Amino acid sequence: MKYIEEYRNRDLILKLSDHIKKSVIRDYSFMEVCGGHTSAIHRFGIPSLLPPEINLISGPGCPVCVTATDFIDKAIEYSRMKNVTIVTFGDLLRVPGSESSLEKEKIRGADIRIVFSGLEALKIAMSEQEKKVVFLGIGFETTAPGTAVTVRTAKEEGLKNFLLLSAHKVMPPVMETIASEEIKIDGFLCPGHVAAITGSGIFNFLPLKYRLGCVISGFEPTDILQSILILVRQINARSPATEIQYSRVVTTNGNLTAQDQMNKVFEHCDANWRGFGTIPGSGLRLKSEYEDFDVEKRIPVEPKLFHDNLSCICGDILRGLRKPENCSMFRKKCTPENPVGACMVSDEGACNTYFKYHAE
Amino acid sequence: MCLSVPAKVISIDREMAEVSVGGAIFKAGLHMVSNVSPGDYILLHAGFAIQKISDEEAVETLNLLNELKSYENE
Ligand code: SF4
């Protein structure tokens, strides 16, 4: 397939691997922020192509994984209400809440439906006007513009029964949290599809303020290896900067129309992240002009005490402090069929990825 | 859920397109991209085209990699 096969060329992969091996002069730790990168890195066996000096650490860029338990609990409360239909991306179904999951609620009879796009949620709301349709909005800057278009369309169509529960988040604050934390990294493989929307500028503070390398990478093997090579060279030259490897999709300014959609509908708010707690300014909530679509305003639910499974170390994994193998439940009590924590649920989750692509 | 894939635009009806990902057909909202025509490639994410893929840049990246290759072979 075009824009895929060319970047999986075996000769180029081996050549890049060679270049990286010849370029290392010290140890390097790089964090791949995006769960899509984590998944691609292990699927394509990238670690086996790297010299031992390079350590890749997965980060907090899997939207399902960072969605906190209280969000799932709220979604479950809505799903138990009469005449409410929950519409969601599939992965969220299996993420454990404090005492249930959306999947379990669905089996018990709750009306929960899976879609690929917010526009499908809108269709359900249009055709079933007697129902309140609650769309679970999760995802970073890549996904939030689509939700913004969906909400604006709902407003234009005068839909009264479409509601949003937003856990949308933005990337820079959590990357800043990591940059200023105890974990020692030399640079980031920056999320390419976030940058497709935002442009490359949102990462500039990382080299400027924290002296960290930043390469916005594509998702094919040569993309990832080329990005790692650029990072190694930046670190060797002691000249960290924001560079775009994924130039077929990412520009300096990004997608201005998508940014405009997002800015019209959302404003920044504090948000709760699994593993990090509340990060100021890292969430997106509907602006007051759109608050009729905000389910938390229209039908407030009492936030009850929630609890996480304390033996799941997803939080530490998302912060780059530990790896899936360090969890006592990995492969034993916790598997993709029976996930104990969010990182085992999603295809982009570190635990799920390690489970699938690493032998026991 | 967060996957974004290159997709070829097959047909366009106002703000919606039919796109092909390796032969499988999906719908893509074109609300965020302009100047897209059938035959173009877009990046499909959660039901929306989030960016048009630049062919020049795609070729440029590969050229750079191929240069790297020949440099090694010298
Ligand atoms: S293996 Fe399961 S329980 Fe352990 S950290 Fe990963 S998701 Fe949590």
Side-chain angles (χ1 to χ4, degrees), chain A residues 311-314 317 324 327 329-331 334 340-344 351:
Chain A
S311 21
C312 166
I313 61 162
C314 263
I317 293 173
C327 174
M329 290 191 277
F330 181 68
R331 271 190 213 286
C334 184
V340 174
C343 303
M344 189 56 95
C351 296

Side-chain angles (χ1 to χ4, degrees), chain A residues 123-356:
Chain A
K123 268 199 195 133
I124 296 174
M126 279 175 192
S127 60
E128 300 178 39
Q129 304 240 348
E130 70 290 355
K131 293 245 177 179
K132 291 197 174 70
V133 173
V134 178
F135 177 58
L136 308 184
I138 68 162
F140 302 111
E141 290 95 331
T142 326
T143 323
T147 302
V149 169
T150 305
V151 172
R152 293 191 70 202
T153 312
K155 188 166 180 152
E156 279 158 25
E157 302 277 336
L159 271 181
K160 298 272 182 272
N161 65 328
F162 176 83
L163 297 162
L164 174 71
L165 180 60
S166 173
H168 282 298
K169 294 180 173 61
V170 292
M171 228 51 259
V174 74
M175 289 173 78
E176 174 138 36
T177 303
I178 288 169
S180 52
E181 266 190 341
E182 67 260 51
I183 167 174
K184 181 78 205 75
I185 53 170
D186 301 294
F188 285 110
L189 273 184
C190 294
H193 295 142
V194 164
I197 302 287
T198 63
S200 59
I202 62 160
F203 303 113
N204 286 345
F205 73 98
L206 291 160
L208 292 174
K209 188 166 162 195
Y210 295 97
R211 307 280 306 150
L212 290 170
C214 274
V215 178
I216 300 164
S217 175
F219 294 79
E220 298 303 330
T222 58
D223 289 328
I224 294 169
L225 288 168
Q226 189 183 12
S227 299
I228 292 172
L229 180 61
I230 300 172
L231 275 174
V232 167
R233 288 179 174 166
Q234 281 190 11
I235 304 306
N236 289 354
R238 294 173 196 271
S239 58
T242 311
E243 285 185 66
I244 303 171
Q245 179 279 331
Y246 198 22
S247 58
R248 60 192 182 277
V249 168
V250 177
T251 59
T252 320
N253 296 327
N255 183 334
L256 298 176
T257 314
Q259 290 169 32
D260 183 52
Q261 295 279 3
M262 205 160 52
N263 294 336
K264 281 200 167 101
V265 172
F266 288 114
E267 62 190 11
H268 290 252
C269 62
D270 298 348
N272 190 12
W273 295 60
R274 187 183 299 275
F276 294 86
T278 301
I279 303 180
S282 68
L284 294 173
R285 69 170 172 223
L286 291 172
K287 283 187 164 168
S288 56
E289 304 100 276
Y290 291 93
E291 70 182 17
D292 283 353
F293 298 94
D294 187 338
V295 71
E296 293 182 273
K297 296 242 167 79
R298 283 267 298 275
I299 317 171
V301 284
E302 278 300 310
K304 54 176 184 174
L305 276 182
F306 64 91
H307 61 84
D308 287 310
N309 183 327
L310 291 174
S311 21
C312 166
I313 61 162
C314 263
D316 281 359
I317 293 173
L318 291 163
R319 287 163 63 199
L321 300 173
R322 291 202 266 177
K323 298 212 168 179
E325 300 96 75
N326 303 130
C327 174
S328 61
M329 290 191 277
F330 181 68
R331 271 190 213 286
K332 299 187 183 101
K333 215 174 151 223
C334 184
T335 62
E337 290 73 45
N338 264 313
V340 174
C343 303
M344 189 56 95
V345 173
S346 165
D347 277 342
E348 290 110 40
C351 296
N352 181 290
T353 299
Y354 275 71
F355 184 95
K356 276 195 299 216

Side-chain angles (χ1 to χ4, degrees), chain A residues 1-3 6-7 15-16 19 22 91 116-117 138 142-143 145-146 149 193 196 226 247-249 255 348, chain B residues 1-2 4 22 31-32 41 43 45-48 50-51 53-55 57-58 61-62 64 68 71-73:
Chain A
M1 278 183 336
K2 197 166 177 203
Y3 300 121
E6 317 86 292
Y7 301 95
K15 201 55 73 178
L16 276 163
H19 268 263
K22 286 184 181 135
D91 285 357
F116 287 108
S117 149
I138 68 162
T142 326
T143 323
V149 169
H193 295 142
Q226 189 183 12
S247 58
R248 60 192 182 277
V249 168
N255 183 334
E348 290 110 40
Chain B
M1 60 132 315
C2 204
S4 310
H31 311 71
M32 305 166 209
Y41 279 76
L43 198 64
H45 174 82
F48 289 92
I50 59 165
Q51 190 62 284
I53 301 178
S54 156
D55 198 50
E57 289 292 340
T61 302
L62 287 170
L64 217 76
L68 191 74
Y71 158 84
E72 257 299 294
N73 286 343

Side-chain angles (χ1 to χ4, degrees), chain A residues 59-80:
Chain A
C62 154
V64 175
C65 307
V66 294
T67 297
T69 305
D70 64 336
F71 178 85
I72 304 291
D73 286 352
K74 269 187 211 158
I76 288 171
E77 284 207 35
Y78 287 120
S79 80
R80 289 172 176 169

